[in-house]
Amino acid sequence: MTFALSDFQCSPNGLILGRDEDYCDLVVDCKTVSKQHAALVLEEDVLCIEDLSSTNGTLVSGERLEPGFRYYIGSGCYIKLGGAELELTKI
């Protein structure tokens, strides 16, 4: 799945990614993705991703993220939420 951030409106809490269509801004329809899996947040004009204590973890370009910490990401990053792979195409 490829997505561009320009296609979404960010709330003050960021862009929530996950399986639950009632609470997520970007719904990822995959059984290994948590209901609220990760968040994309702008921090000082830099895009960050944070794992929201998901069951199956979040990886960015092959590196597993520690839940609760924010990691800088950029265009071309591959994000894996459980078994779902996403590519960030532009910021």
Side-chain angles (χ1 to χ4, degrees):
M1 176 181 198
T2 302
F3 70 99
L5 285 179
S6 57
D7 297 337
F8 299 93
Q9 288 285 340
C10 258
S11 71
N13 296 327
L15 186 72
I16 306 298
L17 291 75
R19 210 177 63 238
D20 191 329
E21 59 189 48
D22 292 329
Y23 296 101
C24 295
D25 302 297
L26 176 62
V27 176
V28 182
D29 188 20
C30 179
K31 291 180 182 181
T32 58
V33 173
S34 294
K35 289 181 181 181
Q36 292 183 41
H37 198 103
L40 295 174
V41 181
L42 276 177
E43 188 173 276
E44 299 178 15
D45 294 329
V46 178
L47 185 64
C48 299
I49 188 167
E50 178 181 346
D51 181 272
L52 301 175
S53 299
S54 65
T55 301
N56 293 308
T58 301
L59 284 81
V60 173
S61 299
E63 297 291 323
R64 189 173 197 74
L65 306 185
E66 186 72 30
F69 292 92
R70 291 183 178 169
Y71 297 83
Y72 296 123
I73 59 173
S75 196
C77 281
Y78 287 91
I79 300 167
K80 189 169 183 182
L81 308 176
E85 292 187 22
L86 306 118
E87 180 184 6
L88 180 62
T89 58
K90 62 183 173 180
I91 296 175

